Amino acid sequence: IVTPELFDKILKNIENGWVKFYKIPFLISWYTGMRGGEVMALTWDDIDFENKIISVNKMQTFAFNEMHIKKPKTQSSIRDIAVGDKLLNELKKWQQTQIKNAKTLGVKPPKLICTRDNLTPVTVKNLRDKSSSIARELDIDFHFHCLRHTHATLLIKNGVSIKEVQARLGHRYIQTTLDIYAHLQAHETTNSVDVFEKL
């Protein structure tokens, strides 16, 4: 589990380096629980700033030294995720940075959200490599998928239903969510007692 304090250290590690563009995919996963491949495939058309929704409808893979964009493996992975102002504000700032960089380079702004400063795509392989370097530099057991796991864990610990967590994560079966996270709901047995004591 990545604590908020540790996540802050991870972000500072990114911001202090020369590859600051990694901050965006890390923030997206932290606030949504999206898989790495889903994050890296996001385009600006997938962000509804007005209704505060991110649409997940594709994923990026990397094979034979090439990046591929394809449909998610299951229908349940296609979903809309509600997000808050903190993430949306960071996305707006990054969008303006991309537009500024595009003008400097004399090209059109990219459709992809996760790009380098020169607007070339960042791949899932790049993301894995960056996560490994963060783990080494901070001397922690960390990989990018930890952010997805943390997102779900923090939601459940703070009273969000398993059904809602299943929808956010895009699990096909609720049993998958239960198998991974049901142990976190052990405290609810005492909640049941408290309800009837108060009644």
Side-chain angles (χ1 to χ4, degrees), residues 171-191:
H171 284 158
R172 185 175 183 182
Y173 302 109
I174 195 167
Q175 193 61 45
T176 304
T177 317
L178 285 167
D179 287 345
I180 300 170
Y181 300 106
H183 66 283
L184 296 172
Q185 288 194 310
H187 69 281
E188 291 189 354
T189 55
T190 56
N191 289 349

Side-chain angles (χ1 to χ4, degrees), residues 38 109 116 137 140 186 193:
E38 294 170 340
R116 296 176 174 81
E137 288 168 23
I140 56 174
V193 174

Side-chain angles (χ1 to χ4, degrees), residues 41-46 58 95 98 108-115 119:
L42 282 175
T43 58
W44 289 111
D45 291 342
D46 298 322
K58 52 192 172 295
Q95 188 176 41
Q98 282 188 331
K108 289 183 178 180
K111 292 182 178 180
L112 278 175
I113 293 173
C114 297
T115 67
L119 307 183

Side-chain angles (χ1 to χ4, degrees), residues 1-88:
I1 303 300
V2 179
T3 64
E5 294 77 18
L6 180 55
F7 187 62
D8 190 49
K9 284 183 181 179
I10 290 170
L11 290 184
K12 284 177 180 172
N13 176 276
I14 293 170
E15 290 168 344
N16 292 335
W18 62 273
V19 284
K20 296 177 176 63
F21 51 80
Y22 279 110
K23 180 180 177 183
I24 288 299
F26 275 72
L27 283 171
I28 292 172
S29 188
W30 173 262
Y31 283 109
T32 66
M34 287 170 62
R35 302 173 178 94
E38 294 170 340
V39 173
M40 306 316 284
L42 282 175
T43 58
W44 289 111
D45 291 342
D46 298 322
I47 313 298
D48 184 340
F49 286 102
E50 186 176 343
N51 294 307
K52 301 183 179 182
I53 288 171
I54 292 181
S55 295
V56 182
N57 50 58
K58 52 192 172 295
M59 63 182 293
Q60 185 201 106
T61 60
F62 192 82
F64 304 107
N65 216 27
E66 284 187 1
M67 182 186 82
H68 306 274
I69 303 293
K70 53 175 70 174
K71 286 184 178 180
K73 290 181 180 178
T74 64
Q75 191 64 30
S76 57
S77 293
I78 299 172
R79 62 202 188 278
D80 289 340
I81 302 175
V83 291
D85 291 329
K86 287 183 180 179
L87 177 58
L88 291 174

